[in-house]
Amino acid sequence: MTTLRDAAHRLGLAIDGAAATELRFRCAPEAFLGAVTTLAAEAVLADLFAVTGSGPPSLTVVFEAVGEPEWLLLRTQLTGDSFPSLTPATHVASWYEREIHEMHGLQPAGHPALARLRLHDWPVGQPPMRATLDRRLDIGPGVPSVVPIVHGQGVFQLPLGPVRSGPQESGEFLFNSGGEDLVAVSQLLGFKLRVVERLAEGRTVDQALNLAERLAGVSAFSNALAFVQAVERASAINVGARSRAARTLMNELERLHNHFGDISRLADATGLMVAGAQYASLKEDVLRRCAELTRHRYLRGILAVGGLQAPLPAIALQTLRRRLPDWLRRSERLEKLLEETAIFIDRVETTGVLTREYAAPHNLVGPIGRSTGADRDCRRDHPYAAYDQVIFEVLVKSQGDALARLSIRLFEIRQSIRILEQLLESWPESDETAPSDSLATGEALGWSEGAGGETLHWVALTGDGRIARWRARPPAFVNWHPYAEACASGNNLTDYPVIEASFGLSHAEFDR
Amino acid sequence: MSRWIALGLRSGVRTTRYPSHADPEAEIAPSAVIADLAALTPAQAAEVADLCPTSAITIEGDRERGGIAFDAGQCVMCGRCVRAFPGAFAFSPHPEVAVRSRGNLRVAAHWAGGSTPAVDAAAAELKLRSQRLFRRSLHIRHVDAGSCNGCESELQLLGSPEYDLHRLGLFFTPTPRHADALLVTGVVTRQMEQPLRDTYDAMPGPKIVVAAGVCAIGGGVFEGGFMVNGPLDRILPVDVYVPGCPPTPLALLHGLLVAVGRGAGRYRAGGVSDGD
Ligand code: SF4
Ligand code: SF4
């Protein structure tokens, strides 16, 4: 018996249906805190979300365990709007509960720091995921939220944002500094809040797929893939072999262009402009191959429920295959040069450190998580699309600094190229089965490993192929949580641009 | 350090020759859709309007007297119409898709009883509101007013060796006080409206405003959302519209040249015109 099944059995949780690799349980609200606390000690809490609307509100926790392909979903139906906070026993629940509180109006009783997460000037009693909000409804004056200030002798504040200096995403930061060193960093996020998931309710799955593709631009494909796989799992739709290979290929192309782009920005932040330009060129080259394959540089408009909107053109696949050795050669040469550039290594080594101890309770994902010892990668742990047919390695480090995050991305670039080579080596002739796109009432989890890490989407469908509820938990939601702490501990003000670039966190994914 | 310089020099010039020469990349990664609405029957029109994920394709009125409208300012480039009705919808082979008149992103056709619709005439391109003669260079202040970061990704690549916007005298500036143009991406969320207005107010006049991407132009897939205060031209006077989701780097270069008066808006939603 696996860890998850075993724990559920010991806790005496009631079975609440199942889907392939998805164990569903439910329990009474009184038993919820105890059950989650026990499970969180043995497994990884990967998501916590609320569903409100018609009927009583419910809470769902998603767990995974190291080395087990299954997910465990535990749900409880609340009888009122309050529930005992999970945060005192399980730290990672903190931001999830703050989100549930402001977006759904549910009360996590006993939460130690129930501040707003994204809403700024917003009235109490109008939770955006629940209230009947109409377009341009006069929401009225709200309670403004401000960036917290650290007071102390000799501490001064330096603000940054929300409008940034270059073409960058909006977000506000406040550096509390005693001179050169950073005492603390406060952040105000949520400027870009669009409430994407609420917008999808009642729309057709195809319309919602277009929203999923625009939740975040540089991770358009991984988010849309997790979404579409959730829809397919909810409706028991099988995807043909060639489409699965194509999805895997595009997932890797997106991972590649993000890693190239992130390293480009890191190099720029350290003043290494030639390296920045070289990596930007590599990103551009990947985007061009994406456009050749799909007519869209960010791989939008290609996914469909049951497969793809159109097969990938053979000529574009051949061009891609010819480019792979060049990408590998160029990136290996750059990698070697970076390693040998002492002033560069000085800027990234021991900069923006997330210690293993601090990071562990946050269940971090992607290169940020893997740089702090979190050995998780959905492609290996929960194989989807054609990942069960390719060989690749996952690098885990423990230093948690900008250098470790960089090393992991550099390693993953080589692995992505290796995966692409294998896929193109044995490209399936056809899908074998005709794609089915008959949607059914149901719900399911979908996942993918984007460049930022584990991407989870959960959907509930109505009978007529529309979205009843949609929950997106992109990697940035998890990884923003420890960010301010990593910026402050032992760093100087001048390190900030390097730290920011080394994290490469998406505001759009967090704000949603 | 010298090895980096050597590498930079060795890598050679791969910068686009656009705008003095056409760039073949424009056809591979298209910048907009163009529509020949007269090619559609009323039934096909209804079908394609249903297929379109945004309000880029809409049916107006009833079948007898009604018609169909296409708005490139709301087209997210999903390709569904092009794949389903290649006779009526196509990807524009040109990257020159920025316009000064919002109307030139739209085209409509009315059946008026028959099944062959009459197509609207294109609008005249507006003159730049500002008569200020720009220096040869343009300093651009960018504001992300609620984007998905796709638009920023393309803006950042304008600085890559492939596009090198500095060669055209175009620069991003970190301070609004030095800016000639405000380039806005994203839907203008409720929480970004004030910071956006503050930036605009801090710029010296006359100011040029560029709406980049369909989110800023019409809201894109987020149109009508209760956190969406845009589109941008409801909040600020817009001089140049650059459609796309995201606008391609070539389209952005063209849009910025239009903003300085060094390029013309030749896109027409019903087919590209040869000039103004
Ligand atoms: S390509 Fe544009 S017009 Fe065509 S269906 Fe997609 S959004 Fe609509
Ligand atoms: S226009 Fe498209 S790419 Fe740009 S912000 Fe909107 S959704 Fe993202």
Side-chain angles (χ1 to χ4, degrees), chain A residues 194 214 217 300, chain B residues 76 146-152 185-187 212-216 221-222 244-247:
Chain A
R194 299 158 292 176
R214 285 161 187 84
R300 286 172 172 161
Chain B
V76 293
S147 75
C148 76
N149 195 26
C151 281
E152 284 71 22
T185 54
V187 293
V214 294
C215 277
V221 288
F222 308 106
C245 180

Side-chain angles (χ1 to χ4, degrees), chain B residues 24-44:
Chain B
E25 209 47 47
E27 288 193 50
I28 296 166
S31 295
V33 161
I34 40 177
D36 176 12
L37 298 178
L40 293 167
T41 66
Q44 289 171 328

Side-chain angles (χ1 to χ4, degrees), chain A residues 286-299 316, chain B residues 25 27-30:
Chain A
V286 178
L287 293 175
R288 289 181 178 189
R289 301 289 80 74
C290 291
E292 243 165 30
L293 289 162
T294 67
R295 306 310 301 274
H296 200 289
R297 287 160 57 88
Y298 294 87
L299 304 168
Chain B
E25 209 47 47
E27 288 193 50
I28 296 166

Side-chain angles (χ1 to χ4, degrees), chain A residues 377-390:
Chain A
D377 188 323
C378 276
R379 300 173 302 167
R380 178 200 61 196
D381 304 339
H382 312 277
Y384 57 94
Y387 280 109
D388 55 349
Q389 285 155 41
V390 288

Side-chain angles (χ1 to χ4, degrees), chain B residues 241-252:
Chain B
Y241 299 86
V242 194
C245 180
T248 61
L250 291 172
L252 288 166

Side-chain angles (χ1 to χ4, degrees), chain A residues 190-192 217 284 295 297, chain B residues 27 144 148 154 163 189 191:
Chain A
F191 283 93
K192 289 148 64 96
E284 174 67 19
R295 306 310 301 274
R297 287 160 57 88
Chain B
E27 288 193 50
D144 160 16
C148 76
E154 297 296 51
Y163 301 102
T189 58
Q191 305 196 138

